[in-house]
Amino acid sequence: MTRTKHHRRRKPPRIQKRTAPGSVPGLVSVCQHAEKSSIQAIKFSETHLIEKELASVAEAKSFLDEQSVTWINVHGLGDAETFHQLIELFGLHRLALEDVVNTHQRPKVEMYSEHLFIVLRMVSFAEHLENEQVSVFLGKNYVLTIHERDGDCFEPVRTRLRESRGQIRGLGPDYLAYALIDAIIDGYFPMVDHYGERMEQLDDDITAGHSMNTMDIIHNLRSDLMALRRAIRPLRDALNQIKPDDHSMFKKETHYHLRDCYDHTVQIIDLLDNYRELCANLRDYHMSIVSNRMNEVMKVLTITGTIFIPLTFIAGIYGMNFNTNLPGNMPELNWPYGYLFAWLLMLAIGLGLLVFVWRKGWLASTESGLSGSGLSGSEEHRNENT
């Protein structure tokens, strides 16, 4: 497991609404530091496909027709004019565009008269977990996707379109929207597996006593798992709201595929719940290991102090330097064998205390106890994970 020198606890992201309180509903206010918008368009049918980088939204008008399906993909939220043109071209509701530029939205599905609006969270991992909002608009002959930064998880969908794999080019815009949703959900599985492997490695490190900054690592893992759960759990409820009717824009055949997406979200949520509970178990396991080791150290120190206390007492008595010429003083000070007698007395007391401690079982080896508890704890965690 890769370790860094400093494991700082990451603070949860704060909600930053770009519109001031009391502003007009539907106000599109972009962030000054957001990436400038870039537009890609793919127009396809069963027999042909056209892919092009667009300089402006106005060029997208020529891509829209009744015989083909058009996918407009917008990267970046830094150009307010682009969003105003999208409102005019596709007839998008301003409240939906306000949710697009305010990227703290939870996954949801909203139905409007001319289009369906879906919000999802796309996750990735570089140095730490990254969470990005993706907005999907589904119309009668188009799919519009908008996300914050360049780069996405849609390349497998583009490859299927370019190479005409499967039936994606003949099943309409609703199936394309399903394929995009499915690509985002499938991106969670590698992330969940990644955190599962990290926790297994952390379990082994705790058992072997090689872990460093364990509490900070566990805290960061738990925070990331909670962030993943917050991103996927509302999507499960949102997908359950989509019904195969005229208002949802999804056909009955495509709805079967959406049910598969729903099942995947349930699987991911179950795994995240298990891993989050495993984090708590690892934290308790680590604390018990630390406590056991501290108890063993205190046991050794206590036994050592117990043995040397009477020896120190004897040495202290003979170190008081009594005047031997006066009656009532220690006769051993003038005795030829007094020094040997003191040593024999201290050795006898020390050995007697060692035998007493051993007979009580206080000198039992701690290594076997720690190893046994560590292995059983590791196996228990893995069984819970399974």
Side-chain angles (χ1 to χ4, degrees):
M1 182 172 138
T2 303
R3 300 186 180 94
T4 57
K5 294 183 179 179
H6 303 283
H7 293 273
R8 297 180 179 178
R9 294 185 176 181
R10 295 191 294 272
K11 297 180 180 179
R14 295 178 297 174
I15 294 178
Q16 295 181 351
K17 188 173 176 61
R18 299 192 179 99
T19 54
S23 300
V24 178
L27 180 64
V28 179
S29 177
V30 300
C31 179
Q32 297 179 351
H33 304 289
E35 292 185 8
K36 292 299 180 181
S37 302
S38 60
I39 307 172
Q40 297 86 36
I42 298 179
K43 175 182 177 181
F44 63 90
S45 66
E46 292 185 277
T47 58
H48 72 279
L49 181 142
I50 302 174
E51 185 174 359
K52 184 180 179 182
E53 293 280 340
L54 304 181
S56 64
V57 177
E59 294 186 25
K61 293 182 180 179
S62 60
F63 277 75
L64 298 174
D65 59 60
E66 298 294 335
Q67 289 75 31
S68 303
V69 177
T70 303
W71 174 20
I72 305 295
N73 189 32
V74 180
H75 296 101
L77 305 177
D79 190 356
E81 183 60 27
T82 297
F83 296 107
H84 291 301
Q85 293 176 5
L86 289 174
I87 292 174
E88 296 178 0
L89 178 61
F90 294 103
L92 305 179
H93 202 285
R94 286 187 171 273
L95 288 176
L97 262 296
E98 182 182 4
D99 290 342
V100 169
V101 298
N102 291 281
T103 57
H104 60 268
Q105 309 300 321
R106 68 197 303 265
K108 61 181 179 179
V109 175
E110 294 181 349
M111 299 180 185
Y112 294 93
S113 59
E114 299 296 331
H115 59 268
L116 184 69
F117 177 48
I118 306 173
V119 175
L120 307 98
R121 309 298 304 189
M122 182 173 61
V123 295
S124 59
F125 191 88
E127 295 181 358
H128 55 83
L129 179 66
E130 295 183 356
N131 192 330
E132 179 182 352
Q133 176 175 311
V134 178
S135 304
V136 180
F137 292 90
L138 172 60
K140 294 181 179 180
N141 62 336
Y142 70 88
V143 174
L144 172 63
T145 55
I146 306 173
H147 41 100
E148 303 176 45
R149 297 178 293 273
D150 190 14
D152 53 44
C153 60
F154 299 148
E155 196 58 33
V157 180
R158 295 188 184 95
T159 302
R160 289 163 58 189
L161 287 171
R162 292 163 185 158
E163 300 178 2
S164 190
R165 295 181 184 176
Q167 301 177 341
I168 189 170
R169 282 171 57 170
L171 293 181
D174 58 328
Y175 189 85
L176 173 61
Y178 147 74
L180 299 176
I181 295 172
D182 185 60
I184 292 176
I185 295 175
D186 286 346
Y188 281 81
F189 283 102
M191 299 293 299
V192 175
D193 293 340
H194 167 76
Y195 284 105
E197 293 174 359
R198 288 185 62 184
M199 282 186 286
E200 288 184 1
Q201 183 63 47
L202 183 60
D203 189 358
D204 294 337
D205 290 343
I206 293 174
T207 302
H210 299 155
S211 57
M212 299 175 60
N213 302 315
T214 303
M215 294 303 294
D216 287 342
I217 296 174
I218 293 176
H219 179 82
N220 289 335
L221 285 174
R222 186 175 176 85
S223 298
D224 288 349
L225 291 173
M226 292 179 64
L228 285 172
R229 193 177 188 278
R230 286 194 300 268
I232 193 66
R233 187 178 182 277
L235 181 58
R236 179 194 63 180
D237 301 332
L239 291 175
N240 198 33
Q241 296 176 2
I242 300 177
K243 304 299 180 182
D245 53 34
D246 296 336
H247 299 287
S248 70
M249 300 289 181
F250 281 99
K251 300 175 184 177
K252 184 176 181 179
E253 293 78 8
T254 308
H255 187 259
Y256 296 145
H257 296 283
L258 287 176
R259 290 194 308 191
D260 184 62
C261 290
Y262 176 84
D263 291 339
H264 289 171
T265 59
V266 173
Q267 294 176 15
I268 294 170
I269 293 172
D270 289 342
L271 287 173
L272 291 174
D273 288 340
N274 291 335
Y275 288 156
R276 189 173 61 169
E277 183 178 355
L278 180 57
C279 272
N281 293 338
L282 286 175
R283 180 182 56 192
D284 296 339
Y285 177 43
H286 170 68
M287 294 302 298
S288 66
I289 291 291
V290 172
S291 178
N292 287 338
R293 288 173 180 162
M294 182 62 67
N295 289 338
E296 296 303 327
V297 172
M298 295 302 298
K299 180 189 293 187
V300 172
L301 294 177
T302 301
I303 292 174
T304 304
T306 302
I307 293 174
F308 278 93
I309 284 174
L311 308 186
T312 305
F313 174 74
I314 294 174
I317 290 177
Y318 281 95
M320 288 190 295
N321 297 323
F322 282 92
N323 187 356
T324 59
N325 296 323
L326 297 177
N329 290 287
M330 292 185 292
E332 295 86 1
L333 294 179
N334 293 325
W335 187 28
Y337 303 105
Y339 179 70
L340 179 62
F341 170 76
W343 268 109
L344 291 176
L345 179 63
M346 288 189 288
L347 288 175
I349 293 175
L351 291 175
L353 287 175
L354 280 175
V355 172
F356 174 77
V357 170
W358 176 74
R359 293 290 297 273
K360 287 289 186 179
W362 296 345
L363 290 180
S365 176
T366 61
E367 284 297 322
S368 59
L370 286 177
S371 300
S373 63
L375 289 174
S376 62
S378 177
E379 291 174 358
E380 178 183 357
H381 294 158
R382 292 195 180 110
N383 291 335
E384 289 180 359
N385 185 13
T386 305

